[in-house]
């Protein structure tokens, strides 16, 4: 009887320790902030003068290339 009670308790503890029904509100908030920060950094990098001029140069070079 005592051994069964211990096994039941061990099982309950393992289930409680590994049960992840989903993210909590705090985890959602941190994930949202991280995604917004990454988006802001990516937008800043992509709209910077160096990137725009580089992409324009690549496209211009590709369009000026003669196929022959």
């Amino acid at each position: 009887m005592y051994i069964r009670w211990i096994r039941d308790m061990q099982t309950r503890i393992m289930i409680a320790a590994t049960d992840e029904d989903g993210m909590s509100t705090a985890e959602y908030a941190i994930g949202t902030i991280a995604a917004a920060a990454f988006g802001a950094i990516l937008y800043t990098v992509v709209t910077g003068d160096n990137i725009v001029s580089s992409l324009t140069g690549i496209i211009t070079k590709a369009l000026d290339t003669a196929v022959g």
Side-chain angles (χ1 to χ4, degrees), residues 21-38:
D21 290 334
M23 292 192 302
S24 67
T25 304
E27 290 169 327
Y28 277 117
I30 291 172
T32 303
I33 290 169
F38 180 72

Side-chain angles (χ1 to χ4, degrees), residues 13-50:
I13 290 171
M14 288 301 293
I15 290 171
T18 59
D19 189 22
E20 294 185 20
D21 290 334
M23 292 192 302
S24 67
T25 304
E27 290 169 327
Y28 277 117
I30 291 172
T32 303
I33 290 169
F38 180 72
I41 291 170
L42 185 61
Y43 178 77
T44 302
V45 168
V46 170
T47 58
D49 291 336
N50 292 335

Side-chain angles (χ1 to χ4, degrees), residues 43-62:
Y43 178 77
T44 302
V45 168
V46 170
T47 58
D49 291 336
N50 292 335
I51 300 296
V52 171
S53 62
S54 296
L55 289 175
T56 303
I58 291 170
I59 292 170
T60 303
K61 185 177 179 181

